[in-house]
Amino acid sequence: MKTQRSWAGAVLVLSVLLIASCASTPAMRSDVIGAWKADKYDRKLSDVLVISLSEEPGLRDKIESSVADRLEKKGLRAVPSSDIMSPHEEINRQTVKKAMVGKRFDGVLVSRLIGVERSAVYVPPSPDTTIDSLFNMTPPVVPEPGRIERSSVITLQIDLYDTASEHLVWSLKMQAVNPSNVTEVVNNLADAVIHDLRIKGLI
């Protein structure tokens, strides 16, 4: 399955953050901005296939392995799709169902990048505006030049499908603000997924 925006876009954003020495970037943070669970769905997962729709094979492995490892620590059997599918194989309904034959998965977690936003705001210098500068008939002192503050927001979504009904039963959306590296973003996403699945009684 091809997506209009891929995790390659996220990698580009992370590199952009390092470009300008005159720019400053606030600290990274990750926020869950939405989570949903289907009404009356009360099954607990035991065997999960983890899929990333990244078009970058290395990044796909990193995302899937991070989520799967955390699920395994909670006592589930979790398998990255890269373990049972070729990295060059297109991910779609047919290829995923074929890969799942005989493996008794009861859930499929699918992660995707759904948005990348970038902005740059000029912050003017803060001059010395005390009244002394007026009485001394001297111009205000500008201690340092203005600066550019860059901001980047990556929006990610991960969905859980029940394999028996093939229906969406849970979904979470997260934003990584000013991400500094891919590993941190992936780990924060995995932690958010595990936390919400647990409080909603799905694991």
Side-chain angles (χ1 to χ4, degrees), residues 16-86:
V16 166
L17 295 175
L18 305 177
I19 290 176
S21 60
C22 63
S24 62
T25 305
M28 174 184 166
R29 74 173 194 273
S30 297
D31 303 308
V32 173
I33 59 174
W36 168 87
K37 175 180 172 292
D39 292 340
K40 299 181 180 179
Y41 187 82
D42 56 3
R43 289 185 59 189
K44 284 188 179 290
L45 304 176
S46 59
D47 296 270
V48 180
L49 177 65
V50 181
I51 298 175
S52 165
L53 296 183
S54 169
E55 296 174 6
E56 300 295 320
L59 191 54
R60 171 187 168 188
D61 293 347
K62 182 184 289 288
I63 298 166
E64 293 180 350
S65 296
S66 182
V67 175
D69 287 347
R70 281 160 171 76
L71 287 171
E72 291 275 357
K73 289 177 181 178
K74 298 299 179 183
L76 283 75
R77 172 177 169 262
V79 178
S81 74
S82 54
D83 283 3
I84 61 174
M85 298 177 67
S86 165

Side-chain angles (χ1 to χ4, degrees), residues 90-143:
E90 183 178 357
I91 296 178
N92 56 41
R93 179 188 176 93
Q94 288 71 34
T95 57
V96 171
K97 290 189 72 171
K98 180 180 178 181
M100 291 172 60
V101 171
K103 298 181 176 63
R104 299 195 301 272
F105 292 112
D106 55 15
V108 180
L109 278 169
V110 182
S111 69
R112 70 196 77 208
L113 173 72
I114 62 173
V116 177
E117 298 177 14
R118 296 184 293 271
S119 65
V121 177
Y122 175 69
V123 179
S126 301
D128 178 5
T129 56
T130 64
I131 198 168
D132 290 342
S133 64
L134 173 62
F135 290 139
N136 294 335
M137 302 299 291
T138 58
V141 176
V142 180

